[in-house]
Structures are given as C-alpha cells and as structure tokens.
Amino acid sequence: MRYITVAIAIASGLIVLLGYFYPLDALIQFRVMLTNWAIIVAAMAVLVGVANLVFVHMDKIRRREKNSIYGVLLIVSLLFTFGMGLVFGPNSQIVRVAMDAIIVPVEASLMAILAVTLVYASIRLLRRRADVMTVIFLVVAILFLVAVMPTPIGPIPGDFLLLQFLHMFSDGGARGLLIGIALGALLTSLRVLFGIDRPYGGN
Amino acid sequence: MASLTCPNCGKDNPDFLDDCQFCQTPLRREATLNIGENPTKKTTGELEGVLPDWLRDARQQARDSAEEEAAKEATKPKIQKEEPLDLLAGLAFQAASDEEEVPDWLSAINPVQDKKIPASSKSVDEDQPSDFFAQFEQSRQQPVDTSPTIPMPGEIGQDEPLPWMSDSAGSSQKDELADWFSQTSAQPNDPFAFDAGETQVGRMDSFDAAASQKPATPEQPEDLSWLRDLEASTKQQPSAPAAEQADTGWMSNLDSSSGNQEDLNWLNNLGGMPTPSSGSESKPEDLSWLNNFGGTPSLADEPVAPEQPAPSKDDDLGWLNNLGGVPLTSEPTTSQPASAGEDLGWLSNLGGTPAPEEPAKEDLSWLNNFGGTPVEPVSPQPAPSADDLDWINNLTGTPAPAQAEQGPAKEDLGWLNNLSGTGIDELPSTQPASSADDMGWLNDLGATPAATLGEPLSPQEVLNWLDNLGGTPATQSNEPAPVAQPDVPDWLKDMEAQQSIESAQPPQFSPKHTAPLSEDAKQEMPDWLKSATEASTSDSMPPLGAASSDWFTSREQPSDKRKRDEVPGQPSRLQTADQTQGSFVSAQDEPAPVDQNIFSTPSDSALANQDVDALFAVDMPDWLSQSESAAGEASAQMEALPAGSADELAPVDLPSWVQAMRPVEAAISEASAISADQTTEREGPLAGLRGVIPIAPIGSAQRPKAISLKLQATAEQQAGASLVEQIIAGETNANPLQVSPFVSSQRALRWGLTGLFLLVLSAVLALGLPFMPISAALPVEVSNVSNAIVTLPEGAPVLVVMDYEPSLAGEMEATSGPLLDQLVVLRKPIFTFLATSTNASGLVERLLTNTKINNPAPDGLGYQADSQYFNAGYLPGGLAGVRGFTEAPQTVLPAARVNRFSEFAAVILITDHAESGLVWIEQVTLAKQSDPALANQQFLVVASAQAGPMLRPYISSKQVVGMISGISDAARYEFVNNSRPGIVRSYWNAFGVGLFLAIVSIVIGSLWSLFTGIRARRAESEPG
C-alpha cells in the first residue's frame, strides 16, 4: 500500500511537471484533471473542516464543558448562515447583513486592539530588551510611521527619500525571503518526486 | 623384613600386617574404603588359587570321596544314627547349619561343595569305618556294651556322651570331621614331605610316662579294634603287610607293655605309613610314631636318626596339641621336663588356637590345635627325645614342606600328615609294631567300645581319662577338679596331681607354632595364613582342665551362630580348618554374639538403623549392611565384658584376606581415627552416620552480622546532608511571584493608550475636519496602476481576486476603492470577483457598496450584479486552484463566465497576505509564459500596508504592473482620481492622528521604558 501511494504521488508530480515543460494536449488534459481532483479534495477538506468544527463543539456541549455556550452559539450561527446561503445564495441581503454587521466589525475590532498592542509592545520593548537591535527596530518603525504619517502641514519633506530608503531595506528582505521560499519549494517538490518525503502519509 | 609405617602413630609394623599393631590403624590404604565409594566385590572363590596345594588336594579328595560315598550309601545299610559323638564331634556338629547364615566369604572358599556331601559321608562312615577316626564312629554305635567295662573317671558313663560333647551329640549332627578323616585315610596316600625333625614334639614322652605309672593299664586287654580301619587303609598300600604285623604285634604286646618301657612304635603303622628306618623300634615306650599321626611321612630316603634318645618316662601327650593343627613351639616342650602328669590341655587347642599358657607336664594341649590354625611357624628345632607329633599340625591343612633335615625323632608318624588328604606313595612298611604300651586311651578318645572288637577290655588298660577330656574341664573351670575321683586311674591321678601342682606354678607354656616349618614354607605361606598363624596364640583354647570347658561350652552354646560359621556340606576337615579361624570368632561369640555379625547391632539399634542399612544394602554384601554404630556397640559390649573372658575375647586378628573383604570396616575405623571429633548420629534417618551434622551450630559462622540501621555519620556529613535537604526543599517550594507596582502602571498604560486612541480618533472622526493635507505625488507603482487602467479596453472583463479577510476589509476597501472607482468610471469593465478566502465572497457586495460602484446613480456608479460584475465565489485548492483557474477558469469555476484565462484584460489582486499574493503573481506569470495571449494582461495588486513590502519585489521584476499598498498610497491615488470615492480621505485625518499618537507613544514609552529599565538594573546590581 505504501508503494502504491508513493507511486501515485510521484506519477502525479512528474505528469504535472512534464506538463509545464511539454505543453502537450494529453499532458495538459491529464494535468488539468489531476488539478481538478486536487481542488475538489481541497473543497471537501473545507467541508470536512467545518464538520469537524461542529462536532468538536457539539462534543463540548454534550459534555457540558466550560464555555460550551459559545459552542452552541457557533453551531447555531454556522447552521443559520449555511442554511441562508444554501437557500438564498451567498449574495443575498441576509448574508450581507451577517457579514457587515457581525464578521467585519468583530475582525476590525481585533485589528484595532492589535494596533494598541503594537504600540504598547513598542513602548515596553526597551524595558525588556534594551539593545542595539531593539533600538534599530524601534527607530526604523518610528521612521516608517513618520514617513507615512500625514501631517497637518502636508507631507514631511524628504518623505519620498525616506520611503525609498526604507523600501530598499524592505524590498531586499522581501526578495531574500521569496528566493528562500522558492528554493525551499523546489527542494520539497524534488523530495516528493523522488519519494523521499511523503507528506501524504506512507512513512 | 620390610616394615610399614603407621600413618597414625608413626610406628613401624611388619609388612604382613594390615593394621597397625599399636593403634589398629589400617596400614594399607588400598584396603580401605571411604564412605561413598562402592566396595569392589571380591569373589572369595578367587582365593582358591591362594590355597596351599594340600588344601586344594584335600578339597578335591573330599569331593571325590563324597561321590564315592554317595555311591556306597545306596548299598550300605544304615546302622545307627543316635549314637554318641566322638571326641571331635563337638568340632563339627555345625556342619548341618543353615547355609543361609554362612557368610559369603566362607561359603566361597569351597563353592563346589554341596549339602549332600555330609549325608553321604555319614553313611559311608557308618558303613565303612576304615580308619582311625572312623573307629570313633563305630565306638559310638555301641555305647552300651562298652560302658560297664570301662572305668570312667568322673563317673561319666560311656554310654552317654561326654558333657562337653553332649551338645554335639544332642544336636544329632553328623560328625563330619570323623567322616572326613575316614575318607582321607581310605584314600591312597601320596608322597608328602614332612620334616619330622621340625615337628617332633616330645609330648608323647610324658604321655608314656604317665602311662607307665599305671601298672594295671597294660594288663587290660585293650580294644584297639578301632585301629583296624587304619590298618585297612594301609593295606591298600604296598606296605600293608608290615602294617598288619604291626597291628597284631602291638596288640600282642599290649599285655606286656605294662612297664615304663612301652614301645608304641607300633603306632607307626597305625596309619599304614611306617617309617622305613626306625631305629627306635626297640625303644621302650616310643611314641614318636605319633609324629606322623597327622600324615607327615618320613620318606624312605630320609635319613632318620636311628638312634633315638630314650624318651623320658613321662609320656608326653602334647603331640596332641598339634592334632588340631596348631603347633606348639618346641622350645617349651624341650625345656619342659617330661613329667608323668598328663597334660590334657591339648584339648584346649582341639578346636582352634592353643592356650597361651599350658602346663608343661602332660601336655595335651595339642588338642588345642586340633582343628585350629597354626600359630607361628616353627623353627626347626631338634627334639631328640620327643616324638614328632606335629603331623597333627597338618590336620588343619598347614602343610609341612618336605625337608631333608630330620630330627632325631625315631618314630616318624608323619604319615598322619596325609590324613588331610595328601597321600604318601612311598612308605615302607618296615616299621614293626613293637610297642606294647597301653594305648587304650585312644579307645576312649573316640569312646571306642570294646564290644566292637568283641574283645574284653580291662578297665585298667583303658585310658578312660580321655572321657574327661571334654567333661572334666567343664567342672574344672568352676569347681575343684572333678578328675580327682576314685575311678580315675592312678596315672591319671598323678597327672591331675601334677597338673594341680603345676597350675600353682607360674605358667611355662608358650605358644607353639605349626607350619610353616621352614623358612621356605614361611615365604610361601599366604598372608592370611600368616596372620592366622600369628593370631591364634591368644585365641586358642585354654589348657584342658582349666578354662577349656568354658571354651568348649562357649563354642557349643551359640550353636545357632556356630552354624553360620560352618558351611553345610563342607568336609569336616575344612570345617575344622575353618574353626581355626573361627576360633577367635567363637571367642567373640560367647560373651557377645558377634561372631559373624561382628558389626551386628542390637535389635533396637537395628531398627533405628534400618535406613542406614538400606543405604548400604544396595551394593554391599550382607555383612557390610551392618552399620558402624552396631560395630561400635558390639565393640562396646566386648569392652564391657568381664576380665575373665577377655582372654577368650582377645582382639580379633582377622586374616588379611578376610580383612580385604571387609573394606567398610577399614573405612569406618579409618574414619573414626581421622574424625574423632565428629559425632555419630543416633536417631533419625541419619542414625549411624558420622560427621554429617557439624558440631557447631549451623549458620552461626555464616550468618550475617546484625547491622545497625542507624546511620553513623560524622558531623560534617550531617551538615552536608542538611544542606542538601535545604536545597531540595527550596527547589520544591514554589517561588512567590514578585508583584511590582510597575505592573499596575502597565495595565493603566494599556488602558490609557486604549482610551487615548479611542478618544483622539473618535474625536477626529467625529469632527470630520480635513486638517491633514494629502500629497498629490504618486509613487511609481501607484502611477503604473493608474496607467494600466487607462490602457484597458472598454468593458473588458477584469478579474478581481478577493484575497483578504473581513478584519482588514476597512483598509482593503479604502485601498482598492479609488482603483475600482477609476476603472468603472473610465472603462466600465465587467468585473468577475473571485475569492480565494472563504469570507471574501461575502465581502464583494460590501466592497462594491462602500466604493459606491453598485449603488444606484447619482451617488453610485450603478453597477448591476450578474451583468456588470459577477461574484464567482470561492476558489478552493489554493495553489492548485489558482493553477487550474489560470488554465481553465470555467472548468475549475463554472461561475467564471470566461473559458480562457486570457480573456481577462486585467487581473486585480486585492490581498492582505503576501503568500496568497505570491501564488497569484507566480501562477499568472506562468500562465502568461505559457499563453502568449496573456502578454498584454495587466496584473495589478492592491495590498495592505503589511503585505505591500513583500510584494514589492515582483513590482521590480515587472511581474506586477502596479500596486497600491496601504492607506497612504490609496490616499494619493484617490487624490489623483479626484478624491473619489472619498473613503480614504475620511480615514486620513484619523489615520494621521493615530500614527502620530502611536509614534509619540512609542517614543515616549520607549524612553520611559529605557529609563525604568536602567534604574531597575542598577537597583538589582546594587548590593542589598
């Protein structure tokens, strides 16, 4: 069984890879078919995840654990939204009210708390770690904020230079991260193709 | 002589000894058997080859004669069975003892012999009394006839057996010894060398002297018919006529032989073996013929001293000492003056060993050796006047080797040596019977009745003193000599008188030795015979008249045990020979029944030792099954005996061959000698074992000492232990949290910051005053977005990828609003909204509403759903979904409304995640590489402020045409787009105030934190 899964994984990867290098219709069709299977499986995984969430909270309700009332609220809200979406569609007014009145304000509030927390953390940073990197971090953050900060007097002179200077560092860091991610993805793909890594299970 | 050193006492011992003569420790290691070893079985039949030739010949002849007698038995009628036994009957009455009780070693000596032999021999003896001893048998057949004519000393009738023989007669056992004598005498004699000179004993001198003192005895017609048989045996030889003449001659001279000058040389022919040259024929009262009585021949070529010194007047009957085979040294004999008194002590040796002390006069101690074992080898010693009666030594089987040396004995009766079976071939019968001595004592020796011959017997001529040989000692031991009675002949009275006188004198007896008679013979003598010879001196029969009666009585009383010692069916000769060895056994038997079962235990101890016996009874002989404790008890009993019986119970000197078959005894004795400190178990299954349980208490030495459980530690160790305890206790206890007042300030700070931001931002938002100016300068990537929109065709399908979360909906709507507004205003594209986030599909309407795109005009752009924009929904599958959508949008997402991805004129990616934006950027870039139609497809990115920096590299690589990142870019873009829709502007003042507050908070807070931190570290670094 283990060899079968490995063979399927390697074959799928090789076919998709060959489809990139050799855009033959057969390979493309076969690649598309495999991709569709992956999309369907991923979609079902979302549903499985929703079902798992429901079962976990139902179990908590059944065991009458602490704060199980929130589980009841979650399950009721989920079933209600799911039912409204199935009945009225995702673009119905009911679904929009649920989104605009509940989801967006809640999540926006969290982002506001995050803003306050980040400020507080920045204030406490030198209290916990008063070193050069902390100072640099704080200085760069303050400079970036100052550069983007609207002022009543208009843009701060030299803000573009400051932004370009800051973007130089951020872009360099971002490129390094992206290159690293690309190399990591390539190596992982090769390991999966060679059967060294079997993230699909088969160890 | 080689010597052996005792391993125990270190003293030297002769090499022929097996046990140390000092400490009784076994000298030969091989003879011992350790406990736990299996004794090597020895077949006593192997000793057959060790036996001397004469003994083997005798045994063979006995077997032959037994066969002959068995043949004759059928033809001869039986005469009488209930007859008094002869003199030797007491020695052989045990012949019919049970074979089962006979020890193995004894029965193996004559394995061929069977039980039938005694019966057959008995019939033969009864029918054919051919020899001297057969005469005894006949004399018993007619006891009534002889009783009135024979004066019996001590008033003992002849019709009844002697007291000391009564038991034998009463036992109705057949006298096999006499039978055997009769058998052997009837057989032709073979030449047998015998040194008469060495075996001569002058006891007959004293005997003659005693006889000569009795004037009436020669006058009585002696009944010597019993000698017929002896003569008959001699007739079979060439010299038979001479023997007949001698027979008659001495009969005729009986009457004339009243004087002291009795010539008993006629007895030379008694056995048909006269010496060829008997120069002593004319000697008066020459009883030297008895020297050959036991079969010791004087060869024809032997130089016989013709001139025999005249014997003393005292008839020496000491020759009978050797009748049983135990010789007496000639030294005491020669040194003792011949006396008239007859020594009846010879009877003490009749069945065995000679008495240690013996009166010199009338030495009848020859009977001690009658059936016994020779004590010591006799050194050649001439006895000029004594007759050689050592032939009797050979009665028990000790052969006297032929020696050229002849003593001065004139009458050699060595032919009698062949009575034991060795025939004499060359025996000239020239010996005339000239003696006229009264030898009627020989009649009484076997209780020969006068009626047998039909001749009247004169009481004076009959030496009835022999009747008391066995009877009187019984009373003499406890009573005054009963011999001194009126009927006793004078000569016997004299003998008694002399004996009584001599008994008061210090004993002059010294044990006399029988064979070997020479050094050569001594060398050839087997070990067992040596030891027996040496041992018999102390175990011999006491002198007659003293304790001999006890000796006989003791021999006869334990008849049951005596029977064990005898082999049924064995010739009496061999039995007699065995009795020589059994003499010491019998000596032990009497006080304590330990004859054969010397290691036997009492009944109670035997029961207690059953287990032990069972152990040894597996592979050991029966006699080995006796436990050591039994032997110990037996020895203890022996030690507890009265001193009077100690002489009879002298220490046992078993022959070496017997000891060789008793390995366990040696082992036990060795063990007892070695481990004397070991105790012997007396009870339980270990009873009888020695040293099994140690004396010391078990486990006392091996028991571990008691160790105190209290740890003995020094003060330093205790201090260290307490310190460790404190450390452990400190680790286990939870440290209390140090609650500093600064914590409360932190919470107040958080709440202060929160309140500050809420109040300031709320006030800014509430006021709605545009006090923060927006710069009109657009960054390059923002300006590229505006340029890309301008290049889009009118009403071109534009794919809007919604890849952000509701939490960032405010930012993303504000950031993307100016772009979408500009695009709708300028190009009226058909939007296809595709969400790669689960909630993004629900944010499409919100976006369009907040950007006033789908709002009806005049406030909004009035875009209509499903006509001008399409919410395709959620695209699952992540990277695969993006890849599949780029390849076949409608296949993967049927709501896409396009068949090919290249149909989208522009792809606007609204994302707040750098990863998802990367996926789209890469897949769209890949799709452009594979599909040239995608070359003009504009790829625009609207990113949050956090995702912007991560996607900027793709802007540099031209994979993304333009990107609007954050509020600041969106404010510039909105400002360029004529401030449409105005969302960014509404946020701009609050955004500016909030950033300012944040910067100020961070700066002030960081400085404060730095100051407090330095102070805290200084406070920590300061001591105390």
Side-chain angles (χ1 to χ4, degrees), chain B residues 668-823:
Chain B
I668 293 173
S669 61
E670 181 189 23
S672 61
I674 293 174
S675 58
D677 56 344
Q678 295 178 350
T679 58
T680 302
E681 301 301 326
R682 298 186 179 277
E683 295 180 353
L686 298 178
L689 298 180
R690 181 189 299 274
V692 176
I693 299 177
I695 298 175
I698 297 175
S700 61
Q702 300 176 353
R703 183 178 303 165
K705 296 181 179 178
I707 299 175
S708 175
L709 297 177
K710 183 178 181 180
L711 182 61
Q712 298 178 354
T714 61
E716 182 179 1
Q717 293 174 347
Q718 292 180 353
S722 61
L723 180 61
V724 172
E725 291 179 355
Q726 293 177 359
I727 293 173
I728 296 174
E731 292 295 331
T732 54
N733 296 330
N735 292 326
L737 292 176
Q738 296 180 356
V739 179
S740 61
F742 186 72
V743 174
S744 59
S745 62
Q746 291 180 354
R747 182 174 296 179
L749 178 61
R750 282 201 297 266
W751 285 108
L753 290 176
T754 302
L756 176 62
F757 279 92
L758 288 175
L759 294 174
V760 172
L761 293 179
S762 297
V764 172
L765 292 175
L767 295 174
L769 298 173
F771 60 92
M772 295 277 179
I774 300 173
S775 167
L778 294 176
V780 179
E781 60 272 14
V782 175
S783 61
N784 294 333
V785 171
S786 178
N787 299 328
I789 290 173
V790 174
T791 60
L792 287 176
E794 188 70 20
V798 175
L799 177 63
V800 180
V801 177
M802 301 292 288
D803 188 25
Y804 61 93
E805 295 296 330
S807 59
L808 297 175
E811 181 183 6
M812 298 310 296
E813 291 174 357
T815 305
S816 62
L819 173 62
L820 293 177
D821 181 82
Q822 182 184 15
L823 183 61

Side-chain angles (χ1 to χ4, degrees), chain A residues 16 19-21 23 27-29 31-44 46 50 90-93 95-96 99-131 134-135 137-139 141-156 159-160 163-164 166-168 170-179 181-182 185, chain B residues 742 745-747 749-750 753-754 757 771-781 805-811 813 838-846 849 854 866 871 874-885 887-888 891-892 914-915 918 922-923 926 945-946 948-957 968 972 988-989 991-993 995-999 1001-1017:
Chain A
V16 173
Y20 280 109
F21 292 100
L27 291 177
I28 293 173
Q29 295 300 326
R31 184 183 63 189
V32 170
M33 184 185 66
L34 293 176
T35 304
N36 292 334
W37 289 356
I39 293 169
I40 296 171
V41 171
M44 292 304 296
V46 173
V50 171
N91 295 324
S92 66
Q93 191 62 30
V95 175
R96 285 180 63 185
M99 183 63 71
D100 295 340
I102 298 171
I103 297 175
V104 172
V106 171
E107 293 186 2
S109 301
L110 294 175
M111 292 307 291
I113 294 173
L114 177 61
V116 175
T117 304
L118 288 176
V119 172
Y120 176 77
S122 299
I123 292 171
R124 294 287 299 168
L125 183 58
L126 291 176
R127 173 73 176 176
R128 296 291 182 182
R129 181 182 293 178
D131 52 5
T134 304
V135 174
F137 177 79
L138 289 175
V139 170
I142 292 172
L143 292 176
F144 183 80
L145 291 176
V146 171
V148 298
M149 179 181 69
T151 61
I153 58 174
I156 297 174
D159 56 347
F160 280 96
L163 288 174
Q164 290 298 325
L166 294 174
H167 286 167
M168 181 180 63
S170 63
D171 292 348
R175 285 180 182 271
L177 291 174
L178 293 174
I179 293 173
I181 294 171
Chain B
F742 186 72
S745 62
Q746 291 180 354
R747 182 174 296 179
L749 178 61
R750 282 201 297 266
L753 290 176
T754 302
F757 279 92
F771 60 92
M772 295 277 179
I774 300 173
S775 167
L778 294 176
V780 179
E781 60 272 14
E805 295 296 330
S807 59
L808 297 175
E811 181 183 6
E813 291 174 357
T838 53
N839 294 324
S841 62
L843 298 174
V844 174
E845 294 298 330
R846 175 186 169 84
T849 302
N854 58 358
D866 296 333
N871 189 0
Y874 171 73
L875 178 63
L879 179 62
V882 174
R883 176 62 182 175
F885 186 81
E887 291 180 349
T891 305
V892 175
E915 293 81 7
L918 295 175
E922 292 174 355
Q923 295 301 321
L926 183 58
Q946 63 179 358
M950 289 297 296
L951 297 176
R952 287 183 63 84
Y954 293 102
I955 295 172
S956 303
S957 63
S968 62
R972 295 170 186 268
W988 184 252
N989 295 332
F991 175 72
V993 173
L995 285 178
F996 178 79
L997 291 175
I999 293 170
S1001 301
I1002 292 172
V1003 171
I1004 296 171
S1006 297
L1007 294 173
W1008 176 252
S1009 297
L1010 180 62
F1011 173 77
T1012 55
I1014 293 172
R1015 191 181 59 181
R1017 282 188 287 273

